Amino acid sequence: MRAAQEQIESLAFRLQHAPGVGAATLRTILRRMHQEGLDASAFLSLEDRELQGRFKMKTEACDFLRRHDDSLDAKWLQLEKMGVHVLVDRQPGYPARLSRTLAGTAPPVLYAMGNLDLLEPPSVGFGGSRKASEKGIKITEDSSMLLARQGINVVSGYAQGIDLAAHRAALDAGGSTTLVLAEGMLHFRIKEDLRRFFDEETHSRVLVLSEFPPSLAWKAHSAMARNRTICGLSDAMVIIESGPDGGTFEAGKTAMDLKVPLFCVAYASPPPSAAGNTFFLQHGASPIKQTRDGMPNLAGLSAVLSASPIPSAMLPSAAPELSLREDPTPYRTKPKS
């Protein structure tokens, strides 16, 4: 059984590198194989005309599959040494939540390193500016800490600014986090902010994911695709600070399109890095304001995470009626004079 699984993983890896086989074509191939009950050996035994006709593969892709490639073998071996798992759509281990939320647009292949069990618990995605305000970083840290302490997995994109603050705070609080890359797994490097968490003991609280060919370098359109995957892995999305356009703005719009509950920080006077927050708040995002003691009001988020509700204790020293009232205090970027 495991041998057959390894064969489909290897096949998906090779197909992802074949000329003319993009994500949509690979998704179609895997779906058709699943429908027809074909394993990897049966697929590879098909003649080229069948691959071209039934699976829409081009001649160059068929030729690529038939020949040996030392460089691909070297990449596969490198992934094995790193402890990377290959998760294939419609196969055991592929995250059901991602398939359910993204439906026919889910990544056909995921490369995963770390604790695969983190694909299962309730998860909240974080998005925000790489050049976030000091206040935005503090709100991120507080929110991520509160969620992590309640067993909620924190998902973000491993970029500077809001992403790293969310990852770091979750781990500092003793919780878990998922790093979703905008590049291939072979480009993954542990950033200084998180280095202390990659020892033997705490590594079990981290999952690193990439949907891209392992040697692919960072690209802007990959970051957009990565943000969509973050939405698909999350039970709710939190936008801390968004510009009026760009990656975080698109991530927020994607969450709305996918019907993923969207929460957005409400500032009394938004900093420049949060100029796009008003758009989301005006288009249905639930506001995150602050309690009397300045902590994030996560009562609305708690209601969404019904599988693992966040107790009111997440809102330190705030009375329930204050935490749940309709008009808590917007975040201020500067103290009142």
Side-chain angles (χ1 to χ4, degrees), residues 189-206:
R189 300 292 183 271
I190 301 171
K191 295 181 179 178
E192 191 59 39
D193 279 23
L194 302 186
R195 188 169 298 280
R196 69 185 185 278
F197 299 111
F198 277 78
D199 59 24
E200 226 173 274
E201 181 182 347
T202 55
H203 191 253
S204 63
R205 298 192 281 118
V206 180

Side-chain angles (χ1 to χ4, degrees), residues 6-321:
E6 290 175 350
Q7 287 177 355
I8 193 69
E9 293 166 2
S10 177
L11 174 63
F13 167 77
R14 287 181 59 79
L15 283 168
Q16 193 178 43
H17 290 82
V21 178
T25 301
L26 181 52
R27 196 178 295 119
T28 299
I29 292 170
L30 294 171
R31 182 173 62 246
R32 188 69 181 267
M33 287 179 65
H34 180 74
Q35 291 170 345
E36 297 186 14
L38 292 177
D39 61 15
S41 297
F43 176 83
L44 290 170
S45 70
L46 296 175
E47 295 183 3
D48 285 5
R49 59 183 177 80
E50 292 181 282
L51 295 177
Q52 293 166 12
R54 289 160 56 187
F55 295 92
K56 310 304 178 187
M57 290 178 59
K58 297 180 179 179
T59 302
E60 315 89 81
C62 295
D63 292 342
F64 181 88
L65 280 185
R66 307 300 187 199
R67 66 173 181 263
H68 183 78
D69 190 313
D70 288 335
S71 65
L72 270 189
D73 288 347
K75 290 176 187 175
W76 183 260
L77 183 59
Q78 194 172 353
L79 292 172
E80 286 185 335
K81 288 180 177 178
M82 291 171 64
V84 173
H85 301 268
V86 182
L87 309 179
V88 180
D89 190 20
R90 300 175 187 273
Q91 298 296 321
Y94 191 90
R97 174 167 36 199
L98 193 58
S99 297
R100 186 169 57 249
T101 303
L102 300 188
T105 62
V109 180
L110 288 173
Y111 298 90
M113 181 172 62
N115 187 357
L116 296 179
D117 290 340
L118 297 184
L119 292 168
E120 300 300 326
S123 297
V124 171
F126 278 77
S129 173
R130 292 170 179 266
K131 299 179 180 179
S133 70
E134 187 176 327
K135 186 69 173 178
I137 295 294
K138 180 65 166 58
I139 296 168
T140 303
E141 291 172 343
D142 289 342
S143 300
S144 184
M145 173 196 69
L146 292 172
L147 291 168
R149 286 179 178 173
Q150 300 303 317
I152 307 300
N153 184 51
V154 170
V155 184
S156 200
Y158 199 50
Q160 296 296 328
I162 297 301
D163 292 4
L164 269 181
H167 294 309
R168 183 181 61 246
L171 293 170
D172 269 332
S176 64
T177 192
T178 298
L179 286 54
V180 188
L181 307 182
E183 58 196 350
M185 189 66 83
L186 294 180
H187 287 275
F188 174 68
R189 300 292 183 271
I190 301 171
K191 295 181 179 178
E192 191 59 39
D193 279 23
L194 302 186
R195 188 169 298 280
R196 69 185 185 278
F197 299 111
F198 277 78
D199 59 24
E200 226 173 274
E201 181 182 347
T202 55
H203 191 253
S204 63
R205 298 192 281 118
V206 180
L207 177 64
V208 184
L209 290 178
S210 172
E211 64 196 84
F212 306 106
S215 57
L216 184 74
W218 188 96
K219 294 184 178 181
H221 68 81
S222 297
M224 294 293 189
R226 176 272 315 272
N227 289 342
R228 184 178 178 81
T229 298
I230 291 172
C231 291
L233 289 167
S234 303
D235 296 295
M237 279 293 297
V238 174
I239 297 296
I240 301 292
E241 291 184 355
S242 170
D245 51 28
T248 301
F249 188 78
E250 290 303 317
K253 289 174 63 178
T254 296
M256 293 192 296
D257 290 343
L258 294 171
K259 311 299 184 190
V260 174
L262 181 64
F263 293 79
C264 184
V265 174
Y267 289 97
S269 300
S273 50
N277 284 33
T278 301
F279 171 88
F280 295 115
L281 294 168
Q282 290 176 343
H283 287 79
S286 300
I288 293 179
K289 300 184 180 181
Q290 62 184 342
T291 57
R292 183 173 293 154
D293 59 2
M295 293 297 286
N297 183 334
L298 301 182
L301 191 52
S302 172
V304 167
L305 297 169
S306 56
S308 180
I310 307 169
S312 59
M314 285 193 67
L315 304 165
S317 73
E321 60 270 19

